[in-house]
Amino acid sequence: MSENKTSANSERYVALVLRVGAYGSFVLLLVAIAFSLAGIPDAALIFAKVGVIFLMATPTVRIIAALAMYISERDKTMILVSLGVLTIVIVSSLLGLKLH
Amino acid sequence: MTISAILILIAIGCAAGSFGALAGVGGGAIITPLLAIYFHLPLHQAIGISLVAVIATSTATSSIHVERHITDIRLGMILELSTTIGAAIAAVIAARVSRRTIALLFILFLVYSASSMIKRAWTSRSEALQTDIPEYEVKNIPLGLAGSICAGALSGLLGVGGGVIKVPIMYLFMNVPLRVATATSNFMIGVTAATSAYIYYGRGDILLPVAAPLVAGVFAGSLVGARLAPRIRTTYILFLFIGVTLWLAGQMIYKLATGGIG
C-alpha cells in the first residue's frame, strides 16, 4: 500500500458510512418501487425523493468520516485535503439549492 | 409509469451495476445512451439520472473494497480535489452546451472507452487472478491531479464516472497496481458524481420515477458484481462491455443523424 496508509481500524468507519448509505438508500428505493407497483404514486414519489437524497448525501458524509479519521491521526496534510474536497462539494450543493 | 417500464429500468440498472463492479467502470456509459435512445429522455435528464446511478455503483462497491483494504483512501482523497473542481465547473457549463455537442462528445467517449477496454481485455487474457496486492509507492501526483480534472469534467458533462481516464493514469503513470487503481477510482467517482448531481438535481434534471427503479437495480447489480469480482476472470465481461459500448455508439450516431436525440 502507499506510504502513510491509514490504519485499518479507522478505515472501518469510512466503510460503515458507505454501507449504511448503500443499504439505506437501496431499502428506501425498494419501498418506492413497491408503492409504485401498488398504484400509490404519491407515496412512491416521497420514498424515491428521500432515497435519492440519502444516496446523494452519502459521499459528503463519507468525506466528513475521512476528515474525522485524519483528525484522530493528526495527519495535517490529509486534514487540509479533506477540508478542501468538503468545501468544493458544499459549494456545489449550495449552488444546487439555489437553482432548485 | 407502467410495470414493464419499471422492470426494464431495474434490469438496465442491474446490468450497468454488475458491469460497473466487474469491469471497474461506473456504468454511466451504458445508462445515459439507453435512457436517451430508448426512454426518449432529454440528454440532460439522462445524464442527471446516470450521475445518481454512478453514486450508487461507487457507494455499493466501495463499501466492500474499503473493508477489504484494496482502496487507497489517501490517494483517492487527494485526486478528489481535482475531480470535484472539474465536475462542478462542467455541471454548471453543461446547461449552456448544445445537446448535439454533448451527444458528439458522448460518442467520442464511448469509442475511447471501447478502445481502452480492448487493450485491457487483451492484456488480462494472460493475467492471473490478482489475490495479493504488491507493495507500491505512488508517483507523479501532479499528473494524476491534472488527469483527474479531465475525468471530473467528463463526469459532470456526460454523467459518467470517468474511471476510463483515472484507472490508466493511476496504473500506467502513478505506479498503482491495477486492482487498487480500479477500487480507488470506484471510491472517487461517488464524490465526483455527487458534486455535479447536486447541480443537476437543483435544475430539475433528475426524474425520480425513472431514477428509483434504475438505481435500485444498480445497487443489486453492484453488490453482486463486487462480491464476484475477485473470483472470476473479467476478460469475457470486458469483451461484452466493448460490444455493448460500440453498439450504443452506433445507435447514438444514427439517432443524432436522424434528429432522434433531444
Side-chain angles (χ1 to χ4, degrees), chain A residues 17-82:
Chain A
V17 168
L18 291 168
R19 208 178 324 127
V20 170
Y23 286 104
S25 43
F26 187 31
V27 169
L28 287 164
L29 293 174
L30 286 179
V31 174
I33 294 168
F35 275 122
S36 194
L37 292 174
I40 313 168
D42 290 346
L45 200 62
I46 291 167
F47 275 94
K49 192 172 188 171
V50 176
V52 166
I53 291 173
F54 192 77
L55 176 63
M56 290 202 303
T58 301
T60 309
V61 180
R62 188 268 274 167
I63 301 168
I64 296 168
L67 175 64
M69 176 174 87
Y70 293 123
I71 289 172
S72 72
E73 291 171 358
R74 294 187 174 82
D75 186 338
K76 284 180 190 165
T77 310
M78 289 312 294
I79 290 171
L80 287 174
V81 167
S82 309

Side-chain angles (χ1 to χ4, degrees), chain A residues 1-4 8 11 15 18-19 22-23 25-26 29 33 36-37 45 48-49 52-53 55-60 62-63 66 70 75 78 81-82 84-85 88-89 92-93 95-96 99-100, chain B residues 3 6 52 55-56 59 62-63 66-67 69-70 72-74 77-78 80-81 84-85 92 133 135-138 187 190-191 194-195 197-199 201-203 208 212-213 215-216 219 223 227:
Chain A
M1 283 284 148
S2 67
E3 276 187 295
N4 300 316
E11 284 185 2
L18 291 168
R19 208 178 324 127
Y23 286 104
S25 43
F26 187 31
L29 293 174
I33 294 168
S36 194
L37 292 174
L45 200 62
K49 192 172 188 171
V52 166
I53 291 173
L55 176 63
M56 290 202 303
T58 301
T60 309
R62 188 268 274 167
I63 301 168
Y70 293 123
D75 186 338
M78 289 312 294
V81 167
S82 309
V85 178
I88 300 162
V89 172
S92 179
S93 60
L95 201 61
L99 288 166
H100 199 54
Chain B
I3 292 174
I6 292 171
V52 182
I55 303 172
T59 309
S62 296
S63 65
V66 171
E67 265 179 7
H69 311 297
I70 309 166
D72 192 331
I73 295 183
R74 189 181 174 85
M77 295 287 294
I78 291 170
E80 274 170 8
L81 276 173
T84 48
I85 291 173
V92 172
I133 296 161
E135 287 287 322
Y136 66 96
E137 192 180 330
V138 178
F187 177 75
V191 168
T195 310
Y198 294 143
I199 295 168
Y201 187 85
R203 275 203 295 258
L208 295 169
V215 174
F219 269 126
L223 290 168
R227 288 189 194 282

Side-chain angles (χ1 to χ4, degrees), chain B residues 160-232:
Chain B
V160 296
V164 287
I165 292 182
K166 282 176 299 191
V167 174
I169 288 177
M170 282 190 267
Y171 178 52
L172 297 174
F173 301 107
M174 299 181 74
N175 196 36
V176 180
L178 186 58
R179 206 167 148 217
V180 179
T182 307
T184 307
S185 171
N186 264 333
F187 177 75
M188 289 161 63
I189 59 176
V191 168
T192 313
T195 310
S196 25
Y198 294 143
I199 295 168
Y200 278 85
Y201 187 85
R203 275 203 295 258
D205 282 335
I206 295 174
L207 287 186
L208 295 169
V210 179
L214 184 91
V215 174
V218 168
F219 269 126
S222 302
L223 290 168
V224 173
R227 288 189 194 282
L228 287 178
R231 273 171 266 169
I232 58 170

